[in-house]
């Protein structure tokens, strides 16, 4: 497990802890064993509140959810924010047990939920790539969930725009702090993002890269059948990765019973940070 251990005493770890320090306390951390390695989970909120498991977008780390927690989500839920195995963060992959498919991700998340041991149905949320993982899990394990919250999901209801992919390629192929900041500035249209989180994003450029799991869109047919999992989908109006209005129409067609909205004035990568208050309000309105 030496792949990530060097980061624990590095500038990446210092930047990670700085962002985590902004969360509303107390914050509890745990490393849960799974077949694919140890998974770091950062938790806050009342111990007896409804459990809300949150998956970040690719490269964002679990710390990105601190803004939502501080905006009120940690008053209505017990938040469990997860570092994705193989992604920047403090999760430690198991050597020789790489995640290779959506089915592997379902098995990994099964182990995470088993380790957390929440009482009753879980609310599962995700942003971007994390929403893709959450949607696949909901399609396979709907009985374990009481609610599914997808924040500007990619690869679930619409594909990526070619222009976005071309702009992201240099960051994916050879990430540097400068390329990461430039890409985020372009995609968010210059939105004011948390400086500490931006520093963490820059530090992630040196993180050992692992090819992310990709695959088809999840089959959400089971979620469309009553009395299935309650689903809420929130798209970012100014997302450059896809056309938010078209993606929202596709989501309404696929899940007629879901609540689907487009949040005005927000970009894809800025969503969990700059729209934290609105996200927290929606979570409180439909507390699981």
């Amino acid at each position: 497990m030496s792949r990530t251990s060097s980061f624990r005493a590095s500038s990446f770890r210092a930047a990670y802890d700085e962002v985590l320090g902004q969360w509303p306390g107390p914050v509890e951390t745990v490393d849960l064993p799974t077949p694919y390695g140890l998974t770091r989970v950062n938790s806050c909120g009342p111990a007896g509140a409804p459990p809300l498991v949150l998956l970040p977008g690719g490269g964002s780390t679990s710390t990105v959810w601190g803004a939502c927690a501080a905006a009120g989500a940690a008053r209505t839920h017990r938040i469990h924010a997860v570092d994705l195995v193989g992604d920047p963060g403090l999760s430690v992959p198991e050597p020789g047990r790489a995640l290779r498919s959506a089915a592997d991700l379902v098995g990994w998340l099964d182990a995470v939920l088993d380790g957390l041991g929440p009482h009753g149905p879980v609310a599962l949320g995700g942003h971007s790539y994390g929403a893709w993982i959450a949607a696949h899990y909901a399609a396979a394990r709907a009985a374990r969930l009481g609610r599914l919250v997808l924040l500007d999901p990619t690869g679930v209801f619409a594909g990526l725009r070619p222009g976005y992919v071309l702009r992201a390629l240099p960051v994916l192929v050879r990430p540097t702090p400068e390329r990461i900041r430039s890409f985020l500035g372009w995609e968010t249209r210059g939105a004011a993002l948390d400086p500490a989180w931006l520093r963490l994003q820059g530090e992630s450029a040196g993180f050992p890269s692992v090819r992310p799991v990709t695959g088809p869109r999840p089959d959400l047919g089971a979620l469309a059948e009553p009395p299935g999992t309650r689903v809420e989908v929130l798209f970012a109006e100014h997302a450059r990765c896809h056309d938010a209005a078209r993606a929202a129409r596709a989501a309404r067609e696929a899940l007629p019973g879901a609540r689907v909205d487009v949040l005005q004035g927000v970009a894809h990568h800025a969503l969990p940070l700059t729209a934290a208050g609105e996200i927290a309000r929606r979570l409180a309105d439909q507390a699981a």
Side-chain angles (χ1 to χ4, degrees):
M1 295 188 181
S2 60
R3 174 183 173 275
T4 309
S5 60
S6 62
F7 282 84
R8 294 180 182 269
S10 70
S11 56
F12 175 89
R13 178 60 188 267
Y16 183 103
D17 288 344
E18 181 182 3
V19 181
L20 195 62
Q22 299 174 351
W23 283 38
V27 178
E28 299 180 9
T29 64
V30 65
D31 293 315
L32 297 175
T34 79
Y36 301 95
L38 293 177
T39 297
R40 170 59 59 94
V41 181
N42 296 305
S43 304
C44 68
L52 172 61
V53 178
L54 294 172
L55 307 179
S60 294
T61 81
S62 62
T63 66
V64 75
W65 297 111
C68 292
R75 291 195 296 269
T76 59
H77 293 78
R78 176 66 172 173
I79 292 176
H80 303 289
V82 181
D83 278 343
L84 305 178
V85 170
D87 232 35
L90 299 185
S91 291
V92 184
E94 181 71 21
R97 287 299 306 273
L99 291 157
R100 301 187 184 281
S101 67
D104 289 346
L105 288 167
V106 170
W108 163 73
L109 199 46
D110 271 337
V112 171
L113 295 185
D114 289 344
L116 290 173
H119 299 290
V122 172
L124 177 63
H127 170 241
S128 189
Y129 177 59
W132 183 82
I133 297 173
H136 270 284
Y137 188 81
R141 299 286 191 270
R144 294 197 72 166
L145 303 181
R147 185 178 178 197
L148 176 67
V149 181
L150 305 178
L151 302 178
D152 216 39
T154 51
V156 177
F157 304 105
L160 296 175
R161 282 173 164 164
Y164 175 87
V165 175
L166 288 174
R167 191 72 180 239
L169 272 177
V171 180
L172 297 174
V173 173
R174 192 168 67 84
T176 66
E178 294 75 18
R179 286 180 173 183
I180 291 172
R181 286 194 295 267
S182 175
F183 176 74
L184 289 173
W186 168 76
E187 201 287 322
T188 65
R189 304 171 195 262
L193 303 177
D194 174 37
W197 184 77
L198 280 175
R199 282 194 294 275
L200 176 57
Q201 291 303 102
E203 292 292 344
S204 72
F207 201 90
S209 60
V210 172
R211 184 176 180 179
V213 176
T214 58
R217 298 179 189 179
D219 181 359
L220 301 179
L223 299 180
E225 300 174 0
T229 304
R230 287 178 293 159
V231 182
E232 182 163 1
V233 189
L234 187 62
F235 290 97
E237 178 195 23
H238 289 164
R240 294 188 188 269
C241 55
H242 50 217
D243 183 310
R246 292 179 64 182
R249 287 195 296 271
R252 294 187 185 103
E253 291 175 1
L255 298 170
R259 180 183 178 185
V260 181
D261 292 309
V262 177
L263 189 59
Q264 304 300 303
V266 182
H268 175 77
H269 288 280
L271 184 60
L273 298 168
T274 60
E278 177 64 13
I279 294 169
R281 184 186 68 78
R282 289 167 179 261
L283 291 172
D285 285 347
Q286 300 185 38

